[in-house]
Amino acid sequence: SRGKEGAHPRVADRVDAVQATICMDYFFLTDPAEDKKHKKATGDKTPIPTAEVAVDTSTGAVWATMVVGKGAELGFYAAMSCVAWIKGLGHLQMTVQTDGEPALIDLAESIRKIMQKDCVGERVSLQASPRDSHASNGPAERAVQTVRALARTYIRCLRAV
């Protein structure tokens, strides 16, 4: 046991040392040529499977989810799911970065509005990468490659059954 003079010092409320950046992107899960061949052979008329991925550049955490399609009216589930993931990261302030695609900008804006409404004190800013500059949104592009490769492997296995 320690006396008052040996007490643990008070720690101020946590503040992020560096503002976190959440990079986001949409992508198609299947290979377009392979998907076209499969649809022609089976008569399948379902839309191309689409997903959204986000990466927290400060922790390396990756989040992905399937979406029905691109656009604000279809993105409510994706926005709510992404907000739940972001809340789990615990950042007090962050920048949500997209590649400038209108559907992603709408989704990022939805996320910002939900975060500001639900999370008092959370500060969320939006940023779009320069047009036609995939390198600027590099963390999201690398996550897309990883998640897409895993998903395509899984889809090929399911189709082989």
Side-chain angles (χ1 to χ4, degrees):
S1 155
R2 295 159 46 144
K4 275 190 162 187
E5 58 279 345
H8 295 285
R10 283 194 91 152
V11 178
D13 290 335
R14 183 180 74 84
V15 177
D16 290 338
V18 177
Q19 182 165 327
T21 301
I22 308 294
C23 298
M24 301 173 62
D25 204 358
Y26 278 116
F27 65 97
F28 297 115
L29 287 170
T30 57
D31 177 19
E34 193 176 301
D35 196 55
K36 186 176 180 180
K37 187 171 114 180
H38 172 74
K39 287 178 186 271
K40 186 176 181 180
T42 63
D44 184 6
K45 296 195 185 324
T46 58
I48 297 173
T50 307
E52 178 198 353
V53 69
V55 180
D56 176 8
T57 60
S58 63
T59 65
V62 176
W63 167 87
T65 191
M66 296 277 297
V67 292
V68 176
K70 297 180 181 182
E73 67 281 355
L74 300 171
F76 180 73
Y77 164 77
M80 292 301 292
S81 178
C82 191
V83 164
W85 173 71
I86 291 171
K87 285 179 182 178
L89 296 171
H91 298 303
L92 298 176
Q93 57 185 4
M94 72 206 72
T95 299
V96 177
Q97 180 173 317
T98 67
D99 62 5
E101 183 180 345
L104 268 177
I105 291 172
D106 289 345
L107 182 64
E109 182 63 31
S110 296
I111 289 168
R112 186 185 66 76
K113 285 178 183 174
I114 294 167
M115 291 292 290
Q116 287 180 336
K117 179 181 163 215
D118 291 352
C119 307
V120 178
E122 302 268 349
R123 291 188 302 253
V124 181
S125 60
L126 304 180
Q127 176 179 324
S129 299
R131 190 173 177 83
D132 298 325
S133 172
H134 294 290
S136 300
N137 205 20
E141 297 296 334
R142 284 188 295 282
V144 163
Q145 291 173 354
T146 302
V147 174
R148 181 186 287 147
L150 292 169
R152 287 181 178 177
T153 300
Y154 186 63
I155 289 168
R156 280 190 209 109
C157 290
L158 289 174
R159 287 182 176 167
V161 174

